Amino acid sequence: MTGGRELLWDGCVNVRDLGGLGQVRPGAIVRMEAPDRLSEAGWAAAWAYGVRTVVDLRNADECGPDRAPRPTGITTVRAPLDPVGTPFYEHWEKIDNLGSPLYYPALLAEHPEPVIAAVRAIAGAAPGCVVIHCAGGKDRTGLLALVLLTLAGAAPEAIIADYLLTYDRMKQRYDELGARDQLTAVTEVLASHDTTIEASLTSTVASLTMPGFLLGNGLSEPELATLRNRLLA
């Protein structure tokens, strides 16, 4: 159930507000796949919803041209979440191509800096709704959403349900690419490591002390206060 959180922005299929999960207020944070395919009407809907900042979690070489121009009042902030070129990345690329929740705890422990940079981009954004996205809106977006939702006191069950929605919403896109069913593929990867999507996400949430994780990795008290003012009802 999405409780009316799903948004219909023409051109994209995986757009939803995090409001109503934990203490997150509606209109604060929207998660989605890359907005490159938004039509002019889609961007107009995003603007009308209050979007003024887009935080892009992709690497530079993943970014292509937009189908329609972004409104001039929307600021795009690049905050790549994958530590490309590191031993960590090379290790996890072989395990799950950084395409499942399996790598979340290791990234949070070994490379918290890009996560904090993305959180800082949200905290410091101009007034208005903030969109967070990667390519498919699943794992990098899912990891950042997990961090924000844990701070906001969302139950693990709600975080898991929100994460799983993307597999259904993006199925048509993956089918168009001729890709294997992603839920089946990721489930099998986790099973080979004796866990499940649900267990992996639950474990990550349980290990994430808030706001200690943010403050202990460089977010300042004023930034935390600003973030809470933006996110929380």
Side-chain angles (χ1 to χ4, degrees):
M1 297 294 290
T2 58
R5 297 189 296 111
E6 292 196 68
L7 302 170
L8 301 177
W9 294 353
D10 184 57
C12 286
V13 298
N14 188 31
V15 189
R16 57 189 177 273
D17 196 319
L18 293 184
L21 301 181
Q23 298 177 346
V24 179
R25 63 175 180 82
I29 299 286
V30 166
R31 64 176 293 173
M32 66 183 297
E33 79 267 39
D36 308 5
R37 297 177 66 157
L38 284 178
S39 66
E40 184 175 347
W43 279 113
W47 177 266
Y49 198 73
V51 173
R52 297 297 180 267
T53 302
V54 173
V55 178
D56 188 343
L57 306 175
R58 297 174 298 173
N59 303 312
D61 61 0
E62 297 178 79
C63 303
D66 288 335
R67 172 184 171 191
R70 304 185 182 203
T72 56
I74 292 181
T75 299
T76 299
V77 180
R78 308 288 182 187
L81 214 58
D82 285 344
V84 176
T86 65
F88 173 94
Y89 187 85
E90 294 175 4
H91 172 75
W92 283 97
E93 190 175 31
K94 296 173 184 175
I95 293 176
D96 68 352
N97 200 32
L98 286 86
S100 86
L102 194 63
Y103 78 95
Y104 286 8
L107 180 68
L108 292 169
E110 298 176 39
H111 288 279
E113 300 86 1
V115 179
I116 298 300
V119 169
R120 184 173 284 124
I122 295 168
C129 180
V130 176
V131 162
I132 59 174
H133 77 86
C134 50
K138 180 168 71 70
D139 286 297
R140 286 167 289 187
T141 302
L143 175 56
L144 184 56
L146 180 149
V147 169
L148 297 173
L149 290 172
T150 302
L151 175 67
E157 295 78 12
I159 295 173
I160 292 166
D162 181 64
Y163 173 84
L164 288 172
L165 280 172
T166 291
Y167 289 98
D168 179 64
R169 302 301 179 266
M170 289 294 290
K171 188 176 188 309
Q172 177 185 342
R173 295 283 190 256
Y174 289 122
D175 288 347
E176 290 171 0
L177 294 171
R180 187 179 178 212
D181 179 75
Q182 291 299 290
L183 182 56
T184 300
V186 171
T187 297
E188 289 179 359
V189 169
L190 270 70
S192 71
H193 291 269
D194 298 318
T195 188
T196 64
I197 291 174
E198 293 81 0
S200 182
L201 288 170
T202 298
S203 175
T204 302
V205 172
S207 68
L208 196 57
T209 303
M210 286 295 187
F213 169 78
L214 299 175
L215 295 174
N217 287 291
L219 198 73
S220 69
E221 290 280 4
E223 287 172 328
L224 176 62
T226 301
L227 179 65
R228 280 177 158 155
N229 287 338
R230 174 179 293 280
L231 287 181
L232 305 183

